[in-house]
Amino acid sequence: MGLTGVTLLVTLMVVAAVTLPANACLPADQAALMDIKAALKEPYLGIFNTWTGSNCCQGWYGVSCDPTTQRVADIVLRGESEDPIYEKAGRSGYMTGSLSPSLCKLDKLTTLIVADWKDISGEIPACVTSLPDLRILELIGNKITGQIPENIGQLSKLTVLNLADNKICGSIPASIVNLGKLKHLELSNNQLTGEIPSDIGKLRMMSRALLNKNKLTGSIPNSITQLRRLADLDLSMNQITGSLPAQLGSMPVLSTLNLDSNQISSSIPTNLLSNSGLNILNLSRNSLEGELPDVFCSKTYFTHLDLSYNNLRGSVPKSLSSAKYIGHLDLSHNHLCGPIPNGSPFDHLEASSFSNNDCLCGSPLRTC
């Protein structure tokens, strides 16, 4: 290369260094962040005071960029955190305002967490479903209203969807079953209505589904038993009717099942009580009927078993005394009758565990 060529190359390198400083974010990304900042007000911690200067990839609280492309990749703003900024302020976070649709201009975003700020309102921008790389969407603990975006199923890379503790209404979008990589679904404590999508069993990767404290109706879809990785299912405090799916107890890794405070009216499937992997089972405050299956064994390990406030009849299963461990047991407010078996776990339970039945007797109740 001649002298002229070398000079030209050096000149181009200098221009590039001036035009695109190392670790600088794209001007369009920075403009989108400024719109997000303008739509939110955080009066106590001064978080947005750090969102200043020309390089949003460095020193902007909660913002991080892809080191290769310098595009904004993550926004993580938590109102409850162990970050020193909270300890110094001596308080948790508080924020008002709404989510700016400009966040959808951050088209390389993989994580969007704006959680536990208590007073952020407005709706989830519908355009959020156009973010092709989004993996985590977490907006828990605000006052967000409106509905879950209808096309939420377009987020093909989404693994976490947490919209709990808001004021979201409407039904669960049918397209949600297209989130093939979804692992955690948390929609609890909102105002959701309608039925659980009948083909929710398509979410084969899901390990946690918390839909409690809503106004969901209809029955529990049978397809939910196809979720072979599901460990935690909470549908409590809804208006669910119908029967318990027969294969619910055959789910291989299910360890926590909360269905309390609904209107379920079937008998209890035998395999639900004989499932040795199930540790927490709460079916209280329904209209369950029939007898308690006598299927407990040496592998039974319940830290919490609550069947209270139902219409169960018959006797207390003798096989409960062969269980490896029964921590909390509540059979109160049913129509059970006959003697309470002797030995563990009955010798450490309070009388309240058996109260308000038809004719139970024995320790810790009256003598038979």
Side-chain angles (χ1 to χ4, degrees), residues 3 63 68 82 144 151 222 239 249-250 257 316 335 350 367:
L3 183 59
V63 177
T68 303
E82 296 181 358
I144 294 171
N151 296 323
N222 284 319
Q239 299 167 22
S250 300
L257 178 61
V316 177
H335 299 289
E350 301 289 336
T367 305

Side-chain angles (χ1 to χ4, degrees), residues 29-103:
D29 282 3
Q30 182 160 328
L33 289 171
M34 295 307 291
D35 288 345
I36 293 170
K37 174 182 177 180
L40 295 169
K41 187 172 293 184
E42 190 282 295
Y44 300 114
L45 302 175
I47 282 174
F48 290 128
N49 292 341
T50 66
W51 287 29
T52 185
S54 59
N55 186 4
C56 64
C57 290
Q58 186 173 358
W60 287 40
Y61 187 91
V63 177
S64 58
C65 298
D66 183 292
T68 303
T69 64
Q70 298 306 312
R71 297 295 308 278
V72 173
D74 305 305
I75 297 177
V76 180
L77 299 173
R78 294 189 183 276
E80 296 181 4
S81 170
E82 296 181 358
D83 190 287
I85 193 172
Y86 296 87
E87 294 183 12
K88 185 178 179 180
R91 60 169 300 139
S92 60
Y94 176 80
M95 200 182 291
T96 59
S98 60
L99 297 173
S100 170
S102 290
L103 66 85

Side-chain angles (χ1 to χ4, degrees), residues 11-280:
T11 302
L12 289 173
M13 291 175 64
V14 170
V15 170
V18 172
T19 307
L20 297 172
N23 301 321
C25 68
L26 215 64
D29 282 3
Q30 182 160 328
L33 289 171
M34 295 307 291
D35 288 345
I36 293 170
K37 174 182 177 180
L40 295 169
K41 187 172 293 184
E42 190 282 295
Y44 300 114
L45 302 175
I47 282 174
F48 290 128
N49 292 341
T50 66
W51 287 29
T52 185
S54 59
N55 186 4
C56 64
C57 290
Q58 186 173 358
W60 287 40
Y61 187 91
V63 177
S64 58
C65 298
D66 183 292
T68 303
T69 64
Q70 298 306 312
R71 297 295 308 278
V72 173
D74 305 305
I75 297 177
V76 180
L77 299 173
R78 294 189 183 276
E80 296 181 4
S81 170
E82 296 181 358
D83 190 287
I85 193 172
Y86 296 87
E87 294 183 12
K88 185 178 179 180
R91 60 169 300 139
S92 60
Y94 176 80
M95 200 182 291
T96 59
S98 60
L99 297 173
S100 170
S102 290
L103 66 85
C104 304
K105 297 176 181 177
L106 301 170
D107 57 3
K108 294 300 180 182
L109 204 62
T110 63
T111 301
L112 176 60
I113 299 176
V114 184
D116 296 313
W117 292 100
K118 304 176 184 65
D119 217 10
I120 294 176
S121 56
E123 300 186 6
I124 302 170
C127 59
V128 76
T129 62
S130 67
L131 295 172
D133 296 321
L134 197 63
R135 289 173 170 80
I136 297 174
L137 178 57
E138 189 171 327
L139 305 175
I140 183 176
N142 293 294
K143 289 184 179 177
I144 294 171
T145 55
Q147 301 187 13
I148 300 172
E150 184 178 355
N151 296 323
I152 193 76
Q154 292 180 178
L155 296 172
S156 60
K157 296 182 180 180
L158 201 67
T159 61
V160 176
L161 177 60
N162 188 349
L163 307 178
D165 301 333
N166 280 289
K167 296 184 177 182
I168 298 170
C169 61
S171 59
I172 300 173
S175 72
I176 204 167
V177 303
N178 296 325
L179 298 174
K181 294 186 178 181
L182 192 67
K183 295 180 180 179
H184 293 177
L185 174 63
E186 301 189 27
L187 305 177
S188 57
N189 197 22
N190 279 289
Q191 299 169 15
L192 295 171
T193 55
E195 300 186 5
I196 300 169
S198 60
D199 48 354
I200 194 171
K202 289 182 177 180
L203 298 174
R204 300 298 175 88
M205 299 297 291
M206 191 156 63
S207 63
R208 191 179 200 199
L210 307 182
L211 309 180
N212 53 300
K213 296 183 180 179
N214 281 290
K215 299 176 183 178
L216 298 173
T217 54
S219 58
I220 301 172
N222 284 319
S223 72
I224 208 166
T225 62
Q226 298 170 11
L227 301 175
R228 314 302 285 177
R229 301 185 184 206
L230 192 65
D232 189 353
L233 176 61
D234 194 340
L235 304 179
S236 64
M237 301 181 72
N238 279 290
Q239 299 167 22
I240 294 171
T241 55
S243 60
L244 295 171
Q247 297 304 312
L248 204 54
S250 300
M251 299 172 70
V253 298
L254 189 66
S255 62
T256 300
L257 178 61
N258 291 312
L259 302 178
D260 54 286
S261 303
N262 281 290
Q263 300 164 26
I264 303 168
S265 56
S266 67
S267 59
I268 300 175
T270 298
N271 58 11
L272 198 54
L273 295 180
S274 62
N275 185 336
S276 60
L278 197 56
N279 303 135
I280 296 174

Side-chain angles (χ1 to χ4, degrees), residues 281-293:
L281 176 62
N282 192 344
L283 304 179
S284 66
R285 299 180 186 275
N286 280 286
S287 298
L288 297 172
E289 51 196 17
E291 297 188 358
L292 272 175

